[in-house]
Amino acid sequence: MLFVLRIGVPLESASIRRNCVNPLSNLRRRRRFTATAIPVAVKSKEELLVVVGGGPAGVYGAIRAKTAAPDLSVVLIEQGKLLTKVKVSGGGRCNVTNGHCTDKMILAENYPRGNKELRGSFFDMHGSVDTMSWFLDHGVALKTEDDGRVFPVSNSSSTIIDCLSSEAKHRGVLLQTRSAVTSAYATAGGKFLLKIDRRVGDIEEVEADYLLIATGSSRQGYSLAAQLGHSIVDPVPSLFTFKIKDAQLTELSGVTFHKVEAKLKLDNIHRSIPQLTQVGPMLVTHWGLSGPVILRLSAWGARGLFSSGYKGMLVVDFMPDLHIEDAKSIFRKHKQNFPKQKLLNSSPSELGLVKRFWKYILDREDISGDSLWSSISNNSIDSVACLLKHCTFEVMGKVYSIFSSRIISSISILKFINLPCDFCIYTFL
């Protein structure tokens, strides 16, 4: 979650549109990224911005503000340690941004919630290419992998942490950890009165001219926003794997499918939602189903799943590129060619079925793997083909795994409050 709150007049700034086919290769030829200045009223003392939250959005927001207005005092307050989630993101390598989706409209299409914010004017000013440019300008070499993910060449999240931390200190941002903003109120004079718990027994009151809330999924941020008069839509979990009610499925733990089509059906969602059908890799775990296709379904269906108590039906097509009639034909030809072979030891090579999975399919159809192909009726063969094209699983809960260490409401999506603000903040996607 990220809010930028300011009392005052908004700054008019021009939108900058850029096209870049190969962003990393062209960044060195681009202009250095410059921030839009914050208009600061002439006062007898420096104005103060308080940033709540020491994640990537908060730290970068503090740097951005101090860069745009060097005379602005910026204090960042974090309950724990700085940038802890950055350290574990991307498997410890830190996925900085996406190097393929440089067009904000294409980027927005891939986000279940928050796509409206991604389509806004902010990403004209500071998109993924600008993010890469900023890190390159600050000495961090980046690389774009085949799937579009951008990582530091060092393959270490510490490179990103060190860059952000050192730049914040260089700019003069005051970093205060082990502290928490417990309340926030707008004063009659147009400022913010904050209470800060220093965790050493004393509570301090601070009057700030600006307030930036960048607290991720922490309830602290939602509480502060509510105190300032904002209505809050409760966040729900996202990016999780499905717990499946199927004792036999546990025998397939570790089996992967490079391409399946999976459709999520929920009793409380009766309209057709295209995004509840996804195509991609899937993994069987000891608790159920995981992998990219499942994570995407969990994201697009997050609110529906929450409302249904994480109960639903998953329909999987294990041969999405093959028509049902073609599948039946393949099985019948295999029967003709290998009549004396046992079913368990012989499945059509065109389908590339793992033996454990092939046994699972036969068991679901109550067909003995010791039976010979010649003894199986064509109707039974057709039913096996139909099961591979339309295999149902009962979803009975959610499980977080190493594949879903981030929650959409906390890191992946920007939330902007529609209030006047003189600078924009970017968080890693």
Side-chain angles (χ1 to χ4, degrees):
M1 178 178 65
L2 189 152
F3 303 138
V4 181
L5 310 178
R6 183 190 189 277
I7 305 298
V9 181
L11 174 71
E12 296 292 333
S13 58
S15 297
I16 303 172
R17 297 185 179 274
R18 307 179 184 90
N19 294 314
C20 187
V21 177
N22 188 358
L24 275 180
S25 64
N26 292 330
L27 284 177
R28 289 299 183 189
R29 294 191 295 273
R30 294 167 45 78
R31 61 165 178 78
R32 291 181 62 88
F33 177 73
T34 56
T36 304
I38 302 173
V40 179
V42 178
K43 293 185 178 180
S44 58
K45 63 175 183 177
E46 292 180 344
E47 289 190 315
L48 172 65
L49 164 67
V50 172
V51 178
V52 185
V59 174
Y60 183 79
I63 294 171
R64 176 89 158 98
K66 195 66 176 171
T67 304
D71 293 333
L72 180 69
S73 293
V74 179
V75 178
L76 184 147
I77 299 175
E78 165 59 36
Q79 295 185 86
K81 297 180 179 180
L82 294 178
L83 303 168
T84 54
K85 289 185 178 179
V86 173
K87 186 174 181 62
V88 299
S89 68
R93 296 195 295 154
C94 186
N95 181 5
V96 176
T97 186
N98 190 294
H100 288 174
C101 290
T102 56
D103 186 313
K104 68 174 184 178
M105 301 305 291
I106 297 176
L107 185 67
E109 290 174 1
N110 292 279
Y111 275 80
R113 298 181 303 282
N115 49 69
K116 180 180 178 181
E117 287 81 2
L118 292 175
R119 293 195 302 269
S121 60
F122 167 71
F123 277 86
D124 288 328
M125 299 170 58
H126 196 134
S128 59
V129 174
D130 295 298
T131 299
M132 291 184 281
S133 178
W134 189 89
F135 277 108
L136 287 170
D137 288 343
H138 288 79
V140 177
L142 300 172
K143 61 179 179 179
T144 302
E145 299 194 342
D146 292 341
D147 59 3
R149 292 180 300 167
V150 176
F151 292 98
V153 171
S154 66
N155 281 324
S156 174
S157 58
S158 296
T159 303
I160 301 299
I161 294 173
D162 293 343
C163 174
L164 291 171
S165 299
S166 61
E167 182 64 14
K169 293 174 183 177
H170 172 71
R171 292 290 175 182
V173 176
L174 180 60
L175 304 173
Q176 296 185 359
T177 58
R178 310 289 183 185
S179 301
V181 178
T182 57
S183 66
Y185 300 96
T187 69
K191 296 188 178 184
F192 298 97
L193 183 62
L194 312 175
K195 286 187 178 181
I196 303 175
D197 185 350
R198 299 296 183 187
R199 300 292 177 88
V200 290
D202 63 325
I203 295 179
E204 178 184 353
E205 284 194 348
V206 173
E207 191 175 69
D209 300 276
Y210 310 88
L211 174 63
L212 187 155
I213 302 175
T215 52
S217 59
S218 170
R219 286 285 175 181
Q220 175 197 18
Y222 294 105
S223 174
L224 296 177
Q227 291 174 32
L228 292 168
H230 297 285
S231 58
I232 304 298
V233 177
D234 286 338
V236 299
S238 186
L239 291 182
F240 48 83
T241 61
F242 293 167
K243 187 175 182 181
I244 301 297
K245 187 177 181 180
D246 187 338
Q248 293 176 301
L249 195 63
T250 58
E251 300 297 323
L252 299 181
S253 180
V255 172
T256 60
F257 301 91
H258 295 295
K259 185 179 182 181
V260 303
E261 180 182 277
K263 179 182 295 184
L264 180 62
K265 294 185 176 181
L266 303 172
D267 290 339
N268 59 351
I269 297 181
H270 303 289
R271 69 187 187 280
S272 176
I273 301 178
Q275 291 86 355
L276 292 186
T277 298
Q278 292 289 329
V279 177
M282 189 175 74
L283 166 70
V284 182
T285 69
H286 64 275
W287 62 78
L289 298 173
S290 182
V293 71
I294 301 299
L295 294 178
R296 288 198 294 269
L297 287 175
S298 77
W300 287 105
R303 292 208 174 272
L305 284 162
F306 176 80
S307 300
S308 68
Y310 299 97
K311 301 291 192 298
M313 193 66 65
L314 185 71
V315 182
V316 179
D317 180 353
F318 290 97
M319 303 179 294
D321 296 328
L322 197 62
H323 190 274
I324 180 62
E325 294 303 322
D326 294 329
K328 291 178 181 179
S329 177
I330 288 174
F331 278 113
R332 293 190 182 196
K333 287 180 180 179
H334 191 83
K335 175 184 175 180
Q336 293 175 355
N337 295 334
F338 305 97
K340 299 302 181 181
Q341 291 189 1
K342 291 183 179 181
L343 268 72
L344 183 59
N345 298 330
S346 177
S347 64
S349 59
E350 303 96 314
L351 304 181
L353 303 177
V354 177
K355 188 173 183 179
R356 279 194 292 162
F357 177 62
W358 176 232
K359 181 180 185 303
Y360 171 82
I361 293 296
L362 293 176
D363 289 344
R364 279 193 58 158
E365 287 297 306
D366 292 323
I367 299 175
S368 172
D370 291 329
S371 300
L372 299 178
W373 273 97
S374 60
S375 66
I376 302 301
S377 67
N378 286 336
N379 286 338
S380 294
I381 291 176
D382 290 348
S383 67
V384 169
C386 289
L387 181 60
L388 286 168
K389 291 291 292 179
H390 195 273
C391 194
T392 60
F393 299 94
E394 184 179 350
V395 180
M396 57 179 294
K398 69 180 186 302
V399 180
Y400 291 105
S401 73
I402 59 172
F403 296 103
S404 54
S405 60
R406 293 195 285 181
I407 297 177
I408 277 189
S409 61
S410 66
I411 293 182
S412 302
I413 291 181
L414 291 172
K415 294 292 183 183
F416 287 99
I417 293 298
N418 189 23
L419 290 179
C421 61
D422 292 331
F423 58 93
C424 296
I425 308 302
Y426 180 66
T427 187
F428 307 118
L429 300 172

